[in-house]
Amino acid sequence: AEAVEAKREWEAKLSKCQRFVSTMLRKGLAESFARWEEMAREAAEMRVKIRRCLQRMTQRQLASAFFDWADKVVAKRDHEAQAARAQMEWEAKIGKTQRFVGAMQRRSLHAAFSRWEEMTREATEMRVKLRRCLQRMTQRQLASAFFDWVEVVDATKEW
């Protein structure tokens, strides 16, 4: 009986020791698991932080690229506007030059036409004067011949 009782006590102590060891092992495992879980959580948080940081950097690079592109678009638009203004100024100068040359040509043509018109008028006036002069000369000769004839007729009548 004593041996059975000692065996039971031994088994109870052994069972207690096993539970204690098991608890200690579970506690060690639990602590290890808790440490692993903490490290995994920290690693996940670090991944999130790194991802956010990379996204910010990427967004900054993207924003920088976009702003560079926008600046180039504005510069190109300004350059095109300046080129269009220069083209318009050039065309305005060409237009003025063409109008000036046209005016000079018209002035020369007008002067030539005016001179031709004046000479034609002078020639017409000279023809009229010449005709009148010739008519007077012809009339004088006719009158002289007529008067000579009249004298001849008067002289014949007197005979």
Side-chain angles (χ1 to χ4, degrees), residues 25-114:
L25 283 175
R26 279 192 308 249
K27 187 176 179 184
L29 281 175
E31 285 176 359
S32 295
F33 180 75
R35 274 192 307 246
W36 174 83
E37 188 179 34
E38 177 68 22
M39 287 178 66
R41 187 179 50 76
E42 286 177 7
E45 288 175 1
M46 288 298 266
R47 272 190 233 110
V48 168
K49 288 178 182 178
I50 290 171
R51 188 178 316 121
R52 286 180 185 161
C53 181
L54 288 174
Q55 284 176 344
R56 282 188 196 127
M57 288 171 58
T58 304
Q59 286 175 350
R60 283 183 188 141
Q61 289 174 343
L62 182 64
S64 176
F66 175 75
F67 289 129
D68 289 345
W69 173 80
D71 290 342
K72 288 179 181 176
V73 167
V74 168
K76 181 181 177 190
R77 192 176 301 140
D78 290 345
H79 176 72
E80 288 172 351
Q82 184 180 7
R85 280 192 304 273
Q87 181 68 27
M88 287 176 57
E89 289 174 5
W90 176 254
E91 289 173 0
K93 288 177 183 178
I94 293 295
K96 285 180 182 178
T97 305
Q98 287 174 339
R99 285 192 301 275
F100 175 77
V101 168
M104 293 302 289
Q105 288 174 339
R106 284 189 299 277
R107 184 179 298 162
S108 297
L109 287 173
H110 178 69
F113 178 74
S114 295

Side-chain angles (χ1 to χ4, degrees), residues 7-27:
K7 191 175 178 183
R8 232 187 250 155
E9 280 180 26
W10 173 257
E11 285 178 3
K13 284 182 183 178
L14 185 63
S15 174
K16 227 181 203 184
C17 265
Q18 284 176 344
R19 279 191 313 237
F20 176 76
V21 168
S22 176
T23 302
M24 289 302 279
L25 283 175
R26 279 192 308 249
K27 187 176 179 184

